[in-house]
Amino acid sequence: GTGLANARSWLKWGKELEKPVEGCIVILKRPPNPAAGHVGFFVRELGGMIEVLGGNQGDQVKKSWFHGCDVLGYREPA
């Protein structure tokens, strides 16, 4: 991990990816707070939406759909 509690700290972890691959880390913005974020594992993309496996999604660990326009970055281990 990054050693920090904020989701956006993952934007500096590992290596940046131009395009996502299954299992990579995805960092998302979380409106309406521009400083907030969410982190999970990329599952797939479909029609402008991305499926993410993550924790604290409806108080569960589960797959959820997010808007692709909310993606801040994709990362993998360096």
Side-chain angles (χ1 to χ4, degrees):
T2 68
L4 301 170
N6 63 323
R8 289 177 182 239
S9 67
W10 286 90
L11 289 168
K12 297 182 183 202
W13 178 86
K15 182 176 85 173
E16 183 178 18
L17 296 172
E18 293 284 326
K19 295 184 180 186
V21 295
E22 185 178 0
C24 74
I25 300 290
V26 58
I27 305 97
L28 300 149
K29 57 184 172 180
R30 195 168 52 180
N33 183 349
H38 186 65
V39 174
F41 296 100
F42 178 83
V43 178
R44 64 184 172 140
E45 184 175 12
L46 184 64
M49 301 289 287
I50 62 165
E51 190 174 22
V52 175
L53 172 64
N56 200 19
Q57 295 179 174
D59 294 325
Q60 300 176 42
V61 174
K62 67 177 187 173
K63 293 179 189 173
S64 299
W65 290 94
F66 294 89
H67 293 279
C69 62
D70 289 334
V71 172
L72 295 170
Y74 298 105
R75 309 293 290 193
E76 69 177 3

